[in-house]
Amino acid sequence: MIKKMIILAAVFLSALAAHAQTAGFVTEMLAAYNADYGQVSYLSAVYQGFVDETASYDEAFAALKKAGQLPAAVNKTDTVTMSGLSYMMAELWPVKGGLMFRVTKGASRYAFRQFKADGIIPVDADPSEKVSGTDVLTMYTACQNKYGSK
């Protein structure tokens, strides 16, 4: 019960922090059992100002592809893994990271490891684990708290 309350509080804070996101988007993300790259692209692209909040997931995905902020071989409807989400969040926030993170320009493997080291994700997290919409918003909130707003 306490864990659910903490998650709900974190999600509520991320909803407030994601001021440009519509209530419908946040509701849809919370309901997503497995988040896809289109949904996460929308969150990232709107926050960065690449697209307007009225944009579609297709437009947001295309904007992030053009900006080079998506893993190489993903489609909009692919389910996001913890490693893929780490990569996208590392592109969204000013993460300094360790040597390999900087050398590889935030490759998903090293973004995942950096987020473990920074306490953004649990140390026992699996990089291939599929993430839910709640996981996405929770990581977004943790990153905002750790790395500050842009």
Side-chain angles (χ1 to χ4, degrees):
M1 180 70 173
I2 291 175
K3 184 176 180 182
K4 283 187 180 186
M5 294 299 287
I6 291 171
I7 289 174
L8 286 175
V11 169
F12 178 73
L13 290 174
S14 39
L16 290 176
H19 56 84
Q21 312 318 311
T22 63
F25 168 75
V26 173
T27 302
E28 186 178 327
M29 270 306 261
L30 289 172
Y33 180 73
N34 288 323
D36 64 41
Y37 279 97
Q39 293 169 315
V40 181
S41 294
Y42 178 84
L43 176 74
S44 178
V46 169
Y47 180 78
Q48 294 179 81
F50 292 162
V51 297
D52 187 70
E53 68 182 44
T54 60
S56 68
Y57 291 163
D58 288 326
E59 293 168 320
F61 186 82
L64 288 189
K65 271 287 196 191
K66 183 177 178 183
Q69 292 188 7
L70 287 170
V74 298
N75 295 311
K76 178 186 72 119
T77 57
D78 290 347
T79 300
V80 180
T81 62
M82 188 62 77
S83 177
L85 181 59
S86 296
Y87 176 80
M88 291 181 74
M89 290 294 152
E91 291 290 322
L92 182 59
W93 301 100
V95 180
K96 290 189 172 72
L99 177 63
M100 291 305 293
F101 178 82
R102 290 190 309 270
V103 167
T104 62
K105 296 180 173 57
S108 60
R109 171 188 178 129
Y110 295 106
F112 177 78
R113 293 175 74 178
Q114 187 62 48
F115 283 158
K116 274 185 167 183
D118 287 349
I120 301 296
I121 55 178
V123 293
D124 62 346
D126 180 356
S128 63
E129 174 185 353
K130 295 178 180 181
V131 298
S132 68
T134 303
D135 295 333
V136 172
L137 292 175
T138 301
M139 184 183 280
Y140 177 88
T141 302
C143 286
Q144 185 173 41
N145 290 337
K146 177 76 176 175
Y147 307 116
S149 60
K150 285 186 157 187

